[in-house]
Amino acid sequence: MPYSMNEAKVSVSFSCQRCLQPIHVDDSFASLDEHTLAELALPINSHLELDLESASFDHLVRPFRVAESTTDVNGGFMLLSDGPDKEPIGHNLRIKAELFDTLSNNSEIDHPLCDECTDTLLELMDKQLKVAEEEWNDYNNYLKKLETTDDVPDIAKLEQELNGLQLEENKLMDELSALSSEEQSIRQAVQEQEKEKQRLECEEQKYWREYTKHRRDVITTEDEFRSLECQMVYAQSQLEKLKKTNVFNATFYIWHSGPIGTINNFRLGRLPSVAVDWSEINAAWGQTCLLLSALARKMSFSFKQYRLVPYGNHSYIEVLGEGKELPLYGNGGFRFLWDSKYDAAMVAFLDCLQQFKEEIVRRDTDFCLPYLMEKGKIEDASTGSSFSIKIQFNSEEQWTKALKYLLTNLKWMLTWVSSQFTEEKRLANATPDSRNDPPQ
C-alpha cells in the first residue's frame, strides 16, 4: 500500500518497482511457513507474455536484491525503524526480500508493487485474457466445423498441388535470381552512365564557358566592325566633301567689303571715309602674292623678268637679272607717297598677272577676264573707264577700285585653275574604271 504522511510512523523497507513509491509490507509476510514458501516458489505462469514496454510500465525499476546489498561491505546500508522490534530486523527483512525475489524470478514482473500499479497490472492481464479467450473460441469453432464436415481431403492431390507449387516456387526463384543478376548489371550500367553523365556535364560546362568567351569575342568584334563601318562612312562622307571642296577657294577667300576688295578678310585698299591700316593692306598684298605664286606653281609656269616672293606682310617682287627688290608693303606718310618702289612693285605684280592670263589663254582660248590689264592700268570694258594701279598722282578711290578689279581678275583665274584641277581628279578616278570596262 502507498505510504501516506497522515498515518502514524511505520517501518518502510521497500518501494514499488514501477512508481518508486515507498510501500509498507503487511506483517503477515513475516510468519510464512515452509509449505507456503514452497508453493510460492512454483512457476506462476511460464507462458504469460506481458507488454512490459507499454506506457503503463514506463517507470520500470530493476528488482531490489537484499542479499546482494547486504554482502556489499563498501556500498552497504542500514535500515532503521522507530517502532519496537519483536524479532530481529535482519531476519524479517531477509524473509520478505527472498519472497519478492522468488516472485520476481517466477514471473516477468518485478515485485513488490503498490496497490495502484497492481490494479493496472490486473487490468492489463484481463485484456490479454479476453484476447486469449477470443482466440480459443475461434479455434474451437473451427475444430467443431472440421469435426462436423464429412469431406476428407485428398492427400495425393494436395501433395501434387504442393509439388506444383514447389516447382513454381523454384522457377520463380530462378527468375528472381536472373532478375537479381540483371538488376546488378543494370545498376552497374547505371553507374557507368552516371560517370558518363558527369563527364558530359563537365564537357558541357567547358563548352558553355568557351561559347561564352567566343560569344563575347564575337560581340566585341561586331562592335568594332560597326564602329569601323561608322568611321568608314564618316571618312567617306568627309572624302566626298573634300573632293567637292576646292583647295584654293577654301584657302584664299576673295570677296569685298563695300567698295574695297578683300582676300581672307584682309582689305586691299583704303578710302578717305574708310581708314584702313597699312598693316592690313600689307597682309592683303601678302595673301595676293601667295595666291598668284601658288597658281603659277600649280600650272608649272614661270614669270618673265620677275619672281614673286610671298613673305607675309613683307612680301616683295624680285627683278631677275638686276637683283632689285620691289616691296609690296608700305607704312604711309608723306615720304612714302613719293617712294616709287611701291608703285613699281604693284605694276610688276599686274604684269605678272597679265603673263599668267596669257598662259591660260594659250591653254584655253575661250578664257577671258572681266577687266583688261595693260601697262599698270585696269580697264572696265563695259564702261571704257581705266584705273591706275599706282598710288602716286592718283586718288584713293581710283587706286582702291583698281585693286578691287585686280582681285576680281585673280578670282577668275583661281576659278579656272580649280576647274582644271577638279577635271584632272575626275579623269584620274575614271581611268582605273575604264580599264575594267568590257570590250566593245
Side-chain angles (χ1 to χ4, degrees):
M1 60 181 297
Y3 176 73
S4 177
M5 296 298 294
N6 296 328
E7 298 178 0
K9 292 183 180 181
V10 294
S11 177
V12 176
S13 302
F14 298 93
S15 62
C16 177
Q17 297 300 295
R18 178 177 176 271
C19 63
L20 303 180
Q21 291 292 332
I23 59 175
H24 176 67
V25 182
D26 191 80
D27 294 337
S28 61
F29 283 91
S31 58
L32 295 176
D33 54 9
E34 296 179 359
H35 298 287
T36 305
L37 292 175
E39 292 178 359
L40 292 174
L42 296 175
I44 298 176
N45 189 356
S46 60
H47 301 287
L48 180 61
E49 295 181 0
L50 298 178
D51 187 8
L52 299 180
E53 301 297 332
S54 62
S56 60
F57 286 89
D58 52 355
H59 298 291
L60 179 63
V61 180
R62 294 186 177 276
F64 174 71
R65 299 289 186 267
V66 178
E68 298 176 0
S69 300
T70 54
T71 58
D72 188 1
V73 178
N74 296 326
F77 59 89
M78 182 180 293
L79 299 177
L80 300 179
S81 176
D82 294 337
D85 296 333
K86 297 179 180 180
E87 296 183 6
I89 186 171
H91 178 70
N92 293 333
L93 183 61
R94 184 177 297 277
I95 292 174
K96 295 176 182 179
E98 290 179 356
L99 174 62
F100 294 138
D101 290 343
T102 302
L103 293 175
S104 298
N105 292 332
N106 292 336
S107 64
E108 296 182 359
I109 301 173
D110 293 330
H111 294 277
L113 297 175
C114 63
D115 292 342
E116 294 180 357
C117 294
T118 302
D119 294 338
T120 304
L121 177 61
L122 291 176
E123 292 178 359
L124 180 61
M125 295 178 69
D126 289 338
K127 292 180 180 179
Q128 293 183 352
L129 178 60
K130 290 180 180 180
V131 172
E133 288 177 352
E134 291 177 357
E135 291 180 355
W136 181 85
N137 290 330
D138 292 338
Y139 285 120
N140 191 26
N141 293 332
Y142 184 71
L143 179 60
K144 289 179 180 180
K145 182 179 179 180
L146 291 176
E147 289 176 353
T148 56
T149 302
D150 296 336
D151 295 337
V152 178
D154 190 355
I155 302 301
K157 183 178 180 181
L158 292 177
E159 288 181 354
Q160 184 179 2
E161 184 178 356
L162 178 61
N163 292 331
L165 292 176
Q166 288 178 352
L167 293 175
E168 186 177 358
E169 180 184 4
N170 294 332
K171 182 180 179 181
L172 292 177
M173 291 300 294
D174 293 339
E175 292 181 359
L176 178 61
S177 178
L179 290 176
S180 299
S181 301
E182 185 178 357
E183 180 185 7
Q184 186 67 23
S185 61
I186 291 175
R187 289 182 181 275
Q188 185 176 0
V190 169
Q191 291 178 358
E192 294 177 357
Q193 293 297 326
E194 287 290 337
K195 293 180 181 179
E196 183 68 15
K197 176 185 175 183
Q198 293 178 359
R199 186 185 66 81
L200 292 177
E201 287 179 351
C202 294
E203 290 184 357
E204 182 183 7
Q205 293 178 359
K206 181 180 179 181
Y207 164 77
W208 280 114
R209 286 195 295 267
E210 293 179 355
Y211 172 78
T212 304
K213 179 182 178 182
H214 292 312
R215 182 61 180 169
R216 183 175 63 250
D217 294 341
V218 168
I219 293 174
T220 304
T221 305
E222 289 178 351
D223 291 341
E224 293 178 356
F225 178 73
R226 285 192 289 268
S227 177
L228 291 176
E229 280 187 338
C230 293
Q231 294 179 12
M232 185 178 296
V233 171
Y234 176 76
Q236 192 70 25
S237 63
Q238 293 296 110
L239 178 60
E240 294 297 329
K241 186 183 296 184
L242 290 175
K243 286 181 179 180
K244 297 178 182 179
T245 302
N246 190 296
V247 178
F248 290 106
N249 287 335
T251 307
F252 300 97
Y253 178 68
I254 298 176
W255 198 239
H256 61 85
S257 175
I260 303 176
T262 61
I263 178 170
N264 289 341
N265 295 325
F266 292 114
R267 290 173 291 184
L268 185 60
R270 59 184 298 164
L271 297 173
S273 60
V274 182
V276 180
D277 191 72
W278 279 101
S279 60
E280 184 178 352
I281 296 175
N282 296 335
W285 269 118
Q287 293 293 314
T288 305
C289 181
L290 177 62
L291 174 57
L292 183 57
S293 176
L295 293 176
R297 187 166 56 251
K298 181 65 179 175
M299 300 296 295
S300 301
F301 176 73
S302 298
F303 299 103
K304 299 177 182 179
Q305 193 182 355
Y306 301 108
R307 185 173 72 89
L308 300 178
V309 182
Y311 200 67
N313 57 358
H314 283 75
S315 300
Y316 60 92
I317 298 176
E318 181 181 355
V319 182
L320 300 178
E322 298 182 8
K324 187 187 299 183
E325 295 181 358
L326 303 177
L328 284 172
Y329 57 90
N331 54 7
F334 180 78
R335 183 178 179 182
F336 169 74
L337 295 177
W338 293 98
D339 189 358
S340 61
K341 289 184 178 182
Y342 187 63
D343 286 343
M346 291 187 289
V347 172
F349 185 85
L350 190 63
D351 187 17
C352 291
L353 195 62
Q354 178 64 24
Q355 293 180 30
F356 190 70
K357 179 250 182 183
E358 293 174 355
E359 176 66 19
I360 295 175
V361 171
R362 186 181 68 83
R363 300 187 182 190
D364 184 5
T365 57
D366 295 332
F367 179 77
C368 62
L369 293 176
Y371 304 104
L372 301 177
M373 299 175 293
E374 185 180 3
K375 296 181 181 180
K377 292 184 179 181
I378 298 179
E379 181 182 351
D380 185 2
S382 62
T383 60
S385 302
S386 62
F387 304 93
S388 176
I389 197 71
K390 297 181 181 180
I391 194 172
Q392 290 183 354
F393 309 106
N394 196 7
S395 65
E396 289 184 345
E397 290 86 350
Q398 291 188 355
W399 177 65
T400 300
K401 185 167 290 189
L403 294 177
K404 184 178 181 182
Y405 291 167
L406 182 146
L407 288 177
T408 302
N409 285 345
L410 185 59
K411 185 173 183 180
W412 278 56
M413 296 179 185
L414 171 63
T415 304
W416 184 87
V417 174
S418 299
S419 64
Q420 297 300 312
F421 180 67
T422 304
E423 184 68 17
E424 289 178 2
K425 288 197 299 181
R426 188 184 66 80
L427 293 175
N429 294 331
T431 301
D433 296 337
S434 61
R435 295 176 183 176
N436 298 328
D437 293 339
Q440 299 295 330

